[in-house]
Amino acid sequence: MKPISLVRFNALAGYARLPRAVMHAEELRWFELTGGQVVGAVIRDREDGDYGGVAFAQDQKHRFRAVDVTEFEPSQRRAEVALRRAMERASMAPDEAHHQGDEQGPPVDFFTYTRESDALHPDFRQLADSEAYSPAKCIIEPMMRWYEDADGNFVEQFQTAGFDQRIWELYLFAAFTEMGYLLDRTEAVPDFSCSGLIGEFTAEAVTVGPTRVRGEIIPPPPVGTAEERREFLCNYMPIKFGSALYTKLRKRYWDRPNVQGKPFVLAIEDFSSPGSMIQSAPALHLYLYGYDHDAKQDRDGNLTITPRKVDFHQWGDKVIPSGFFDLPGAENVSAVIFSNSGTIAKFNRMGILGGFGSDRVLAIREGACVDHDPNAMAPKPFRHVVNAADYSESWGEGLSVFHNPRALIPLPQHFIEGAAHHFLQDGGQIHTQTPEWHPHWSVTQHLFPVDVEEIMREMAIEAD
């Protein structure tokens, strides 16, 4: 029995955790038997203060679920000994002993090709076949055992033209679960019905895809000059965001019985072109609220932000009104959630953190994070080595929640912990509350194949 990180335990067995369990017990340490067939957690009873253990093994669909609970002990050490014995018993039991009786259908191999190779999405092929992305593949595999395919076509779309949409849904599944929500997939629409100790909300995943004309992808406009970049952010991308969000708005999810009476959110990510997601966030809040903001510093370095109302966005012959939250029907949308991290790179970083996949992959993450100086004109750059012992990351890191000022059912801020929350104020100013550490965007460089341990030793020597 060896100790493992919470990231690894959550990837394997965290989806079996019920939200109410945290009311009764606190998890202290997590373990795995060699081979990975059995994992376990040592817990402390919040009321009595004594210690116990829970062993998890795979059910008929290869999902880790609780198979044994030890007697509670007066010390953590004795509880760990009892847990080791329970995990060893579970490892020696036949597979059928761990079946729960409620499994429906056989386990699915999500990475066995279901279509001819020329129909497979290139990012899926990279994920399925490249050792450099094996950390992502190996952390996705146990997660997808829990993801109920309410539509019935998840695997096919994940492997083909719907890869971006499906990887975004998997990211949201991981993030909402990490926040402590139980995800009910009984209904296929909307994508998520989340319930936890703090409340309930529903969410629909939205993706911005590339522009196509007669099946051909039209490249995005250039952004090489300041004027081109401004047009991209003030007109081209608002129209891209607007098209995706308005399509969802017309479906009137709030009329469905499983949505009524709960906050309803649209969760969006930009996949319109390679790399666009790291620069398109300003276009989203411009379109949602219908305000642009001019920032200037005086001679003393004091920052002044002046809101400017925007009435419409135009790109070529296409013209749309600005201010998504002002549209008829939008009062039924509590908030729009955005992230630019629902990508393979995110899954690869989390896979490395959890000890999944090849040990010959080194990941270096660079980007920009929030600068809490009230007079800062730009975010702060950062550069992190994901394999470093002191590196940490969560699924929800980097999420932004844009609250609808006209929402009939507002989304309470504490429903989405750890995110940046944005609120439109009178006069067009936006009040933002961000965590101490909040990345605006990042890119991840993967070095493979390398001797990771040797590189980390050399970096430690240089740091000293």
Side-chain angles (χ1 to χ4, degrees), residues 81-343:
V81 172
L83 175 62
R84 185 189 69 230
R85 293 170 180 165
M87 292 173 65
E88 289 172 348
R89 288 194 301 269
S91 69
M92 293 184 288
D95 292 342
E96 295 77 12
H98 304 315
H99 296 175
Q100 307 276 329
D102 59 357
E103 302 93 335
Q104 295 183 3
V108 180
D109 186 346
F110 297 93
F111 291 97
T112 295
Y113 292 171
T114 61
R115 301 288 295 275
E116 296 296 327
S117 60
D118 59 353
L120 299 174
H121 194 286
D123 288 345
F124 169 75
R125 296 190 64 171
Q126 183 181 56
L127 176 64
D129 298 337
S130 171
E131 186 180 348
Y133 286 90
S134 60
K137 177 183 177 181
C138 292
I139 200 172
I140 286 175
E141 282 179 317
M143 174 192 305
M144 292 177 75
R145 305 295 184 194
W146 284 96
Y147 191 85
E148 296 294 337
D149 185 6
D151 295 327
N153 57 4
F154 186 96
V155 176
E156 179 184 358
Q157 292 191 4
F158 180 69
Q159 296 185 2
T160 57
F163 179 83
D164 290 337
Q165 296 92 321
R166 294 311 196 179
I167 203 74
W168 174 232
E169 288 181 29
L170 282 178
Y171 165 78
L172 291 171
F173 177 75
F176 291 153
T177 302
E178 179 185 70
M179 294 174 196
Y181 290 104
L182 187 65
L183 307 182
D184 183 0
R185 295 281 292 172
T186 304
E187 298 285 343
V189 180
D191 293 316
F192 298 97
S193 292
C194 306
S195 61
L197 296 177
I198 56 179
E200 299 180 81
F201 71 93
T202 58
E204 175 71 7
V206 190
T207 53
V208 180
T211 300
R212 296 177 183 270
V213 175
R214 293 183 291 275
E216 296 293 324
I217 293 179
I218 305 301
V223 292
T225 68
E227 182 59 30
E228 288 173 341
R229 176 172 171 77
R230 177 167 180 79
E231 284 297 303
F232 176 82
L233 292 176
C234 295
N235 289 297
Y236 178 80
M237 280 309 305
I239 289 177
K240 295 290 291 181
F241 281 120
S243 177
L245 290 170
Y246 185 67
T247 298
K248 295 294 185 179
L249 187 68
R250 295 177 61 188
K251 295 186 177 182
R252 300 182 62 88
Y253 295 93
W254 50 87
D255 289 337
R256 299 181 62 87
N258 59 317
V259 178
Q260 290 179 357
K262 306 172 187 176
F264 169 69
V265 304
L266 295 173
I268 191 167
E269 170 135 37
D270 173 23
F271 292 97
S272 60
S273 63
S276 65
M277 62 188 64
I278 68 174
Q279 59 183 339
S280 61
L284 178 61
H285 72 69
L286 167 59
Y287 169 67
L288 291 176
Y289 293 127
Y291 279 93
D292 201 355
H293 295 83
D294 299 321
K296 294 182 179 179
Q297 282 181 325
D298 61 20
R299 294 180 178 180
D300 297 324
N302 298 312
L303 181 65
T304 300
I305 298 177
T306 305
R308 178 167 43 83
K309 190 73 176 74
V310 176
D311 296 321
F312 62 90
H313 306 281
Q314 181 173 2
W315 185 262
D317 296 332
K318 181 77 171 180
V319 181
I320 66 169
S322 191
F324 173 78
F325 289 137
D326 294 326
L327 294 177
E331 67 274 9
N332 297 284
V333 178
S334 305
V336 170
I337 295 176
F338 171 78
S339 174
N340 51 29
S341 295
T343 62

Side-chain angles (χ1 to χ4, degrees), residues 459-464:
M459 293 179 67
I461 292 173
E462 291 177 1
D464 290 341

Side-chain angles (χ1 to χ4, degrees), residues 415-435:
F415 273 28
I416 309 294
E417 291 282 359
H421 291 267
H422 309 274
F423 303 87
L424 181 66
Q425 298 180 315
D426 292 341
Q429 293 284 10
I430 295 178
H431 174 65
T432 296
Q433 299 179 21
T434 58

